[in-house]
Amino acid sequence: MGAKNSHLNSCVIIGANQAGVSIAFALREKGWKGDITLFDMDPELPYYRPPLSKSVLIGSESLGDHALKPIHLYKKENITLKLGHKVTSIDRISKQIFLDNGSFYKYDILVLAMGGRPIIPNIPGLKNSESIFTIRTSRDTIAIRNTLDKSEKRRALIIGAGYIGLETAASLIKLKANVTVLEKEERVLSRVTAPHLSNFYEFLHKRNGVEIFTNKEVIEVRSNSSDKEVICSDGSSYFADLIIVGIGIHANKELAEETGLEVKNGVVVNDEARTIDKNVFAIGDCAFQYHSFYRRYVRLESIQNANDQAEIAASVICKQEVSNHSIPWFWSDQYDVKLQIIGLSEGANDIIIRQENNNKKKFSIWYFQDNKLLAVQAVNDMKAYVIGTKFIKENTPLDKSKLRDPDVELKPTNLKFM
Amino acid sequence: MAKINYVTLDNKKITLEGNSGSLMKLAKDNGVKGIDGECGGVCSCATCHVHVNPEHMDKAGEASEFEKDLLELNDHSNEYSRLCCQIQISDDLDGIELKVAERD
Ligand SMILES: Cc1cc2nc3c(=O)[nH]c(=O)nc-3n(C[C@H](O)[C@H](O)[C@H](O)COP(=O)(O)OP(=O)(O)OC[C@H]3O[C@@H](n4cnc5c(N)ncnc54)[C@H](O)[C@@H]3O)c2cc1C
Ligand code: FES
C-alpha cells in the first residue's frame, strides 16, 4: 500500500471506457497500491469510440486496431476488468456497489465514469423497432454495417445533424449508401457552431451526395416489411431501409441520483472531480464539473475531457499536486475535411471569420467575448488551431483587424495587439 | 520486422519489435509512458510527440505540412520533433531511436 493512502484498499470504477480506463492507469502511475476494479456492462475489451462513426464504420480500420489498452497491460498493472456486468445500485453508507447478478463489491474510493447513452426521442414508431440504430457502442457500428449490407436499396436516414450524425453520413457515403439527413433546426451543427461553418458543412455533404433537409421535425416512423417511412411535421415523408438517430446523449447519472449525490445535467463535481461525498468522484461524459479555466460548470463530451478529468481525479486520490483543467479541444473528420476546435464558444458576442487566400476549404472562425478569445474552429487550418490555442492559453489580446485580413500571415507576432 | 527504441522521460530505454501500424500504436500497445495518442493517430493532438535521434532523421521521412504546423508553437518542439502516429512501421525504420518529448 502506498505511503500516502495506506488506509485505502480498494478503488472501484463504474464504466470502463475512456474516462474509467484512463483513471485506472493514471492511479497506478501515481502510486495507488490498492486494488483497482473496473466494471462495465459492455462485454468488449474497452475500445476507443471516435472511429465508430469514422474509420471503423467505413471499414478502413478494425475495432481491434482501437482497443484502449491491450489486455496484457491490465494484467501488468494489476487492474481487474469486470466486463459484461451492470452496476445496479450504490450504497454509500456501507460503501458497496451491487451488480445485476446479485453480487456486490466494497470500495474505499468510488469513481463514476458512466458516460452517457444516446437519446431516443419519444416519437411513435421509433422505439423498439427493428433497423433503428444509434451509434455509441461497437455493436451499434457492426449492426449498422450489417443492416446496410443486407438492404438492396441501401437507403440510410439519419435523424440529427450534429457531429456524429454528419460523420456517419460521410462514412455511409463511402459505403455507397443513399444517405438522407433530417435536422430539426434551421441549420446543421446549430448547437455547436456559427452559421458560416454550418453552411460550409451542409454544402460539403450535399456535394458528396448526401441529401440534407433542415427544419424537419420527425413526428412518426412507420415500418412495413419492405421499408420505413419517416414522417415530418410539415407533412413531408422520407423512405429508408435503416434509420440512425444521432441527436445527442443523456448523461448516465441515475445511479448517482439514487444514492443521494447531487445531479444536474450530469453528476455534479467540483474542480477536483469530487462529488459531495469525499470518497466518490465523477469523470468524463457523465460529470457536470466546475471548470477551472472557464470558472463555471460544464458537461463536456470528448476524449480530451475524459482523459483530463481522469488525470485530475487520480492526482487528488493519490494526494499529488493537481494540474489545472486544460482548454477543451475536439476534432471531427468528414471526407477530406479536418475540423479542429479549441475552447468553448458559448458566450461569444463577436465572431471573426478568417478565410485564407487561394483555398476556399481553409478557414477559421474565432469567437470572442468582447476582446477575450474564447474559441477557434479551424477547417483544414492547423496554424489557426495552434495559434488560437496559444492566444487562449496566454489570454493575450489579439488585433482583430489583422486577424481578419488574409494578407497578414497567420503568425503570433503578426496578430499581437500592439 | 523493425526494432524500435523508445526512450521515456525518465530515461528508460524500451526496445520493441514491430511489423506494421504506426509508431504511436506500437508504443501504446506496450505501455510506453508519455505516448498517449489521444486523437487516435489522426494528427490532431500532439500527444505522441517524440524527438528522433538526429542521426536517424532520414529513416523517419518527411513530416507533412499539417504535422509541422501542429508542432510549430509547441514549447518542446525542435528540429528533430515528429508526431509518431504519422510514421508507419517498415523495415526501413529498423534501429530508430525516439525520445518521448515533454508535454506542453
Ligand atoms: C461515434 C462517436 C464518435 C465520437 N467522436 C469523437 C471525436 O472525434 N473526438 C472526441 O473527442 N470525442 C468523440 N466522441 C466522444 C467520446 O467518445 C466520449 O466523450 C468518451 O467516450 C467519453 O468517455 P466516458 O468514459 O466518459 O464515457 P463512455 O465512453 O460513455 O463510457 C462509459 C461506460 O460506462 C459504462 N456504464 C455506464 N453505466 C454503467 C453501469 N451501471 N454498469 C456498468 N457499466 C456502466 C458504459 O457501458 C460505458 O462503456 C465520440 C463518441 C461517439 C459515440
Ligand atoms: S496521436 Fe494525435 S497527433 Fe499523434
Side-chain angles (χ1 to χ4, degrees):
Chain A
M1 252 162 271
K4 286 181 183 159
N5 46 37
S6 54
H7 60 295
L8 297 174
N9 286 313
S10 160
C11 177
V12 162
I13 304 165
I14 309 180
N17 201 271
Q18 197 69 41
V21 171
S22 266
I23 195 171
F25 283 84
L27 282 169
R28 279 288 180 249
E29 198 172 333
K30 291 174 196 297
W32 174 270
K33 297 282 191 309
D35 293 344
I36 299 176
T37 316
L38 280 159
F39 292 90
D40 206 298
M41 53 202 177
D42 192 328
E44 297 290 332
L45 184 66
Y47 50 86
Y48 185 62
R49 294 195 200 280
L52 295 181
S53 53
K54 310 178 185 92
S55 58
V56 171
L57 180 56
I58 296 168
S60 61
E61 289 187 296
S62 75
L63 199 61
D65 294 330
H66 287 289
L68 287 176
K69 301 271 179 187
I71 190 94
H72 70 94
L73 290 182
Y74 293 91
K75 292 200 177 115
K76 182 172 162 217
E77 299 292 348
N78 194 17
I79 293 166
T80 309
L81 268 178
K82 299 263 186 197
L83 301 175
H85 295 288
K86 183 170 184 173
V87 178
T88 52
S89 66
I90 301 167
D91 179 359
R92 291 193 291 121
I93 295 167
S94 63
K95 291 196 188 166
Q96 294 181 90
I97 62 150
F98 297 84
L99 300 188
D100 51 1
N101 62 4
S103 57
F104 54 89
Y105 285 79
K106 258 190 104 54
Y107 68 83
D108 296 299
I109 293 289
L110 177 65
V111 180
L112 308 177
M114 305 178 295
R117 58 182 183 281
I119 299 171
I120 302 183
N122 215 351
I123 292 171
L126 196 59
K127 277 193 180 156
N128 309 323
S129 167
E130 263 180 40
S131 302
I132 293 186
F133 305 94
T134 53
I135 303 200
R136 187 76 188 171
T137 66
S138 60
R139 274 190 316 278
D140 296 335
T141 296
I142 293 165
I144 288 169
R145 280 203 60 137
N146 287 345
T147 309
L148 183 68
D149 288 342
K150 271 192 231 138
S151 79
E152 242 168 66
K153 296 185 185 153
R154 298 178 84 76
R155 292 169 305 179
L157 184 140
I158 299 168
I159 301 177
Y163 289 121
I164 289 185
L166 292 185
E167 285 180 358
T168 304
S171 299
L172 292 176
I173 284 287
K174 288 215 172 128
L175 293 174
K176 308 236 171 327
N178 301 306
V179 186
T180 304
V181 177
L182 302 181
E183 167 58 50
K184 193 164 84 178
E185 303 298 327
E186 60 177 13
R187 57 189 176 90
V188 307
L189 298 172
S190 65
R191 276 192 308 168
V192 283
T193 183
H196 188 79
L197 199 65
S198 299
N199 294 340
F200 173 83
Y201 273 102
E202 191 169 330
F203 182 74
L204 175 73
H205 279 276
K206 285 183 172 164
R207 215 188 44 216
N208 279 281
V210 179
E211 295 213 70
I212 297 192
F213 301 98
T214 53
N215 289 314
K216 291 289 177 187
E217 189 180 0
V218 176
I219 53 166
E220 193 185 342
V221 175
R222 290 186 197 145
S223 304
N224 61 43
S225 56
S226 59
D227 51 18
K228 301 189 168 294
E229 184 181 5
V230 177
I231 298 157
C232 298
S233 57
D234 62 0
S236 56
S237 78
Y238 303 87
F239 290 90
D241 304 301
L242 68 153
I243 297 174
I244 299 161
V245 183
I247 61 167
I249 62 166
H250 283 304
N252 287 326
K253 57 187 180 185
E254 291 74 12
L255 286 184
E257 194 164 18
E258 284 154 20
T259 187
L261 293 169
E262 190 187 355
V263 299
K264 285 194 175 134
N265 177 23
V267 185
V268 179
V269 293
N270 66 9
D271 56 349
E272 296 194 327
R274 206 176 226 147
T275 65
I276 47 169
D277 180 330
K278 72 177 192 336
N279 300 313
V280 183
F281 294 76
I283 58 176
D285 282 15
C286 73
F288 188 56
Q289 57 178 305
Y290 186 79
H291 198 286
S292 57
F293 187 80
Y294 289 96
R295 302 216 186 107
R296 60 185 160 97
Y297 283 87
V298 289
R299 191 174 71 74
L300 302 174
E301 295 167 11
S302 73
I303 297 302
Q304 172 269 332
N305 175 64
N307 289 345
D308 200 34
Q309 282 197 301
E311 182 71 20
I312 288 173
S315 299
V316 174
I317 293 166
C318 295
K319 301 197 165 52
Q320 292 197 355
E321 201 186 321
V322 181
S323 52
N324 282 328
H325 282 106
S326 325
I327 301 160
W329 56 261
F330 188 77
W331 75 96
S332 179
D333 292 333
Q334 297 169 41
Y335 309 104
D336 55 347
V337 175
K338 190 170 192 66
L339 171 66
Q340 289 170 284
I341 301 172
I342 181 81
L344 302 178
S345 58
E346 282 100 333
N349 53 17
D350 188 17
I351 294 175
I352 288 183
I353 297 165
R354 182 188 161 101
Q355 174 66 58
E356 296 306 322
N357 287 329
N358 311 326
N359 188 348
K360 265 194 175 154
K361 279 188 168 181
K362 185 170 178 181
F363 63 91
S364 49
I365 305 183
W366 301 63
Y367 296 81
F368 293 87
Q369 191 170 46
D370 305 321
N371 285 320
K372 187 185 162 115
L373 180 62
L374 297 179
V376 178
Q377 297 173 337
V379 172
N380 293 325
D381 194 343
M382 187 66 89
K383 277 207 165 74
Y385 175 73
V386 297
I387 292 171
T389 306
K390 186 178 161 73
F391 275 91
I392 296 174
K393 226 187 236 168
E394 296 171 358
N395 197 10
T396 20
L398 206 152
D399 189 326
K400 290 185 185 173
S401 60
K402 288 190 181 145
L403 174 64
R404 212 178 260 122
D405 181 357
D407 291 327
V408 176
E409 195 194 338
L410 208 49
K411 261 174 42 184
T413 43
N414 287 350
L415 299 178
K416 268 204 187 118
F417 197 79
M418 297 300 173
Chain B
M1 176 79 72
K3 272 202 170 68
I4 316 287
N5 305 297
Y6 297 88
V7 182
T8 56
L9 285 173
D10 50 4
N11 264 320
K12 275 200 197 110
K13 186 165 165 174
I14 301 164
T15 302
L16 298 170
E17 284 181 356
N19 285 314
S20 61
S22 76
L23 290 177
M24 179 276 283
K25 176 98 170 70
L26 181 69
K28 272 199 76 174
D29 282 352
N30 290 282
V32 175
K33 297 230 155 75
I35 308 269
D36 294 333
E38 290 194 351
C39 76
V42 296
C43 198
S44 281
C45 69
T47 63
C48 64
H49 181 193
V50 294
H51 294 136
V52 179
N53 180 324
E55 287 170 22
H56 303 156
M57 275 307 275
D58 50 337
K59 285 185 199 274
E62 183 74 18
S64 69
E65 262 334 282
F66 240 65
E67 183 183 337
K68 286 184 193 155
D69 287 344
L70 181 51
L71 283 167
E72 192 177 285
L73 296 181
N74 191 301
D75 291 343
H76 302 283
S77 146
N78 65 24
E79 59 193 299
Y80 307 112
S81 284
R82 287 299 308 267
L83 296 173
C84 70
C85 69
Q86 298 300 303
I87 306 174
Q88 295 299 313
I89 299 176
S90 71
D91 291 351
D92 300 343
L93 289 185
D94 193 40
I96 196 170
E97 186 180 274
L98 315 159
K99 249 186 129 130
V100 175
E102 255 181 86
R103 197 65 61 76
D104 261 13

